[in-house]
Each structure stands twice: as structure tokens, then as C-alpha cells.
Amino acid sequence: GKMDITAGASSTWSTTAGTLTIDSAGALVIDTDGTDNISIGTEAVAKTITIGNDASTKVDINALAIELDSAAAMTLSSVGAIGMDTVGTAAINIGTQAVAKTITVGNDASAKVDVNALIIELDSAGTIVGNSVGAMTLTAGAASTWSTSAGQLTIDAAADTLLLDAA
């Protein structure tokens, strides 16, 4: 049959030892009335908080804002593709905090890092370094400029001939 537990004031449901399991044959709904918070795992001790299972179909999180904070490393991993996007023209910002850090995209063993956009802009307060174990190609479909604002521009074909073609 049906069971309702109602209290007229703040209440605690706990065990003095062992696990407290809440299980449902149907949907399990946890909510508060109005705008009161729902807090899970808030005791200030080291613990693992698990949501879902490897066999779960989906973990769906919806809110006006979602914030993920970690005092240590944070890993986002997937067996399939990972998609990150915004609705409309809102920016996608990675590593924008104004502190010195390394932002790594890809790995030496990655097959390809593919960057596509109407405009690609690389800005540096220091040096921009491009290295390739294989060939490097820079191709443009319109008039182009390669210049320095100070100092010399050096092109070195150390192991072969330098070819300049104005065809």
C-alpha cells in the first residue's frame, strides 16, 4: 500500500550504521517546495558522489546556469564524441582567466586538430611557434602579406633549394 511521511519541522532520516537505500519501482522524485536548495553530499569530508551508472541511458542536467567546480583536476571523458556548443552566437570560452597557463588541444599522437571558421585569429604577446615533422603548407585564396613590424624576415631552406614562384 501507500506510505506518506510528513513532518511539521526540519527532520533527519539517518542510520547509525550501514547504508540507507531509497529505491523505487517507478520514478524517484526528490524536490523542495518553492526555491529552497536541494543539497547532496555537502558534509565537509572526502567522499565520492556518484550519479548514474555505466549502464544508465542518460544523465540529464537542466538549469538556468550550471557550474562545475573542482579543487583538484577535472576530467571530462567519453567513449564517443564530445560536443560543446552554445545556442546562437554566444562565445565558447576556454582558458580565458587572466593568469599564465598552458592550454593544450590534442596530443602528439592525435590524428588531426581541425580548426574551421570564417576567420581564424592567432594573437600572442610573445612568440608564435609552428613546428612540423612533415611538410608545412600555407595557402591563401587572395592577396596575402607576410611581414614583420621590426627586424628581419628569415626564410631558410637549410637542406634544399628555396623556390619563390609568382606565377
Side-chain angles (χ1 to χ4, degrees):
K2 180 180 176 183
M3 178 176 81
D4 288 325
I5 301 173
T6 304
S10 295
S11 304
T12 301
W13 190 6
S14 64
T15 63
T16 57
T19 302
L20 175 62
T21 301
I22 302 173
D23 196 352
S24 172
L28 178 62
V29 177
I30 301 173
D31 203 352
T32 62
D33 287 337
T35 59
D36 292 324
N37 293 339
I38 299 172
S39 300
I40 299 173
T42 57
E43 182 186 21
V45 296
K47 65 181 83 185
T48 298
I49 301 169
T50 302
I51 301 173
N53 178 283
D54 287 345
S56 296
T57 305
K58 181 179 182 180
V59 176
D60 193 5
I61 300 173
N62 298 291
L64 294 175
I66 297 173
E67 180 179 329
L68 301 174
D69 296 321
S70 175
M74 183 180 294
T75 300
L76 181 61
S77 182
S78 172
V79 173
I82 295 178
M84 241 189 322
D85 206 346
T86 62
V87 175
T89 59
I92 299 170
N93 298 315
I94 299 172
T96 58
Q97 184 183 30
V99 295
K101 65 180 84 185
T102 298
I103 301 167
T104 303
V105 178
N107 179 285
D108 288 345
S110 295
K112 181 179 181 180
V113 175
D114 193 6
V115 179
N116 299 291
L118 295 175
I119 298 171
I120 298 173
E121 180 178 336
L122 299 175
D123 295 326
S124 173
T127 303
I128 295 179
V129 178
N131 290 317
S132 175
V133 173
M136 181 183 290
T137 303
L138 295 174
T139 304
S144 302
T145 302
W146 196 352
S147 65
T148 64
S149 59
Q152 62 187 20
L153 177 62
T154 303
I155 299 175
D156 185 3
D160 211 331
T161 306
L162 174 63
L163 302 173
L164 296 176
D165 184 358

